[in-house]
């Protein structure tokens, strides 16, 4: 089970740990240009970073306000740490935080290979057609707190 920490402050280890995972996963592993990965929204986001029992940062995501919901972005688990429930832990923390903050929904652009991961958490595809970002195919998915 991950211990999840949260920050808005770019001068914290929570943010630095988040960014280190993102650079490892999106830039080095998936080939996303760093200039796209670290964008103009960086200072507006809230970051969640998940630490394992040895206090190593293993998972992250960021949240950006969007109307009455949050946009979930940059969901990543270190490659060596996948398949142990850490992705689910960090996403469940985002879902719980959104409920606590009285958001209406969470929305995200899922890399199509990860749609099944988000479906298990209760996300469903929206009517938006599939799209590409940084050359990677995506599908928009939503989690609604209210029916
Ligand atoms: N497709 C379908 N199901 C998946 C899946 C995938 N790609 N990845 C995980 N799952 C399932 C697991 O089997 C597990 O199911 P279970 O509850 O029935 O056992 C459940 O989802 C939770 O899996 P978990 O172990 O928490 O996933 P993870 O820690 O490996 O994290 C990602 C999943 C997608 C976050 C991780 O693979 C990752 O960081 N990938 C690289 C970055 C990336 O593509 N991010 C997504 C951007 S949209």
């Amino acid at each position: 089970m991950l211990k999840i920490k949260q920050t808005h402050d770019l001068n914290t280890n929570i943010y630095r740990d988040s960014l280190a995972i993102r650079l490892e996963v999106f830039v080095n592993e998936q080939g996303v240009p760093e200039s796209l990965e670290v964008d103009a929204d960086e200072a507006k986001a809230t970051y969640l970073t998940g630490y394992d029992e040895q206090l190593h940062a293993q998972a992250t995501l960021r949240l950006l306000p969007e109307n009455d919901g949050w946009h979930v972005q940059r969901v990543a688990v270190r490659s060596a740490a996948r398949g142990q429930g850490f992705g689910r832990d960090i996403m469940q923390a985002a879902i719980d935080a959104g409920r606590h903050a009285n958001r209406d929904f969470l929305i995200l652009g899922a890399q199509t290979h990860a749609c099944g991961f988000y479906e298990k958490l209760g996300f469903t595809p929206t009517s938006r057609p599939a799209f590409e970002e940084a050359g990677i195919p995506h599908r928009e998915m939503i989690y609604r707190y209210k029916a």
Side-chain angles (χ1 to χ4, degrees), residues 4-8 18 22 41-49 60-66 69-75 90-99 101 103 105-108 123 145:
I4 314 288
K5 298 186 183 178
Q6 183 176 322
T7 192
H8 303 272
S18 167
R22 290 165 49 195
D41 289 331
E42 208 70 356
K44 299 177 204 151
T46 297
Y47 297 85
L48 269 55
T49 305
T60 191
L61 57 78
R62 78 176 191 187
L63 301 167
L64 272 180
E66 181 164 316
W70 281 337
H71 201 151
V72 184
Q73 299 177 324
R74 310 311 199 259
V75 180
I90 196 106
M91 281 300 301
Q92 193 58 55
I95 292 168
D96 293 349
R99 182 177 291 107
R103 301 289 82 197
F105 62 87
L106 302 179
I107 196 156
L108 55 80
F123 284 76
Y145 292 97

Side-chain angles (χ1 to χ4, degrees), residues 25-26 29-30 75-77 81-88 109-111 113-114 116-118 120:
V25 172
F26 294 116
E29 183 183 332
Q30 295 192 343
V75 180
V77 176
R82 290 178 198 153
Q84 329 178 27
F86 290 165
R88 179 177 52 229
Q111 294 185 13
H113 70 84
F117 165 72
Y118 295 113
K120 286 193 167 173

Side-chain angles (χ1 to χ4, degrees):
M1 188 79 182
L2 287 183
K3 180 172 169 49
I4 314 288
K5 298 186 183 178
Q6 183 176 322
T7 192
H8 303 272
D9 184 347
L10 303 189
N11 292 307
T12 56
N13 283 335
I14 300 170
Y15 172 73
R16 281 188 276 271
D17 290 341
S18 167
L19 186 57
I21 297 172
R22 290 165 49 195
L23 295 177
E24 190 177 300
V25 172
F26 294 116
V27 177
N28 296 337
E29 183 183 332
Q30 295 192 343
V32 174
E34 192 169 336
S35 56
L36 286 184
E37 177 53 36
V38 183
D39 65 9
D41 289 331
E42 208 70 356
K44 299 177 204 151
T46 297
Y47 297 85
L48 269 55
T49 305
Y51 295 84
D52 66 15
E53 286 177 4
Q54 285 74 44
L55 304 180
H56 295 137
Q58 299 290 10
T60 191
L61 57 78
R62 78 176 191 187
L63 301 167
L64 272 180
E66 181 164 316
N67 301 316
D68 294 327
W70 281 337
H71 201 151
V72 184
Q73 299 177 324
R74 310 311 199 259
V75 180
V77 176
R78 285 211 150 103
S79 64
R82 290 178 198 153
Q84 329 178 27
F86 290 165
R88 179 177 52 229
D89 288 352
I90 196 106
M91 281 300 301
Q92 193 58 55
I95 292 168
D96 293 349
R99 182 177 291 107
H100 191 70
N102 213 20
R103 301 289 82 197
D104 285 353
F105 62 87
L106 302 179
I107 196 156
L108 55 80
Q111 294 185 13
T112 49
H113 70 84
C115 285
F117 165 72
Y118 295 113
E119 272 165 15
K120 286 193 167 173
L121 287 152
F123 284 76
T124 52
T126 71
S127 58
R128 181 180 171 187
F131 60 99
E132 278 205 0
E133 245 176 49
I136 300 170
H138 283 74
R139 193 69 213 263
E140 188 175 71
M141 298 184 81
I142 192 162
Y143 181 100
R144 295 181 196 281
Y145 292 97
K146 293 160 196 160

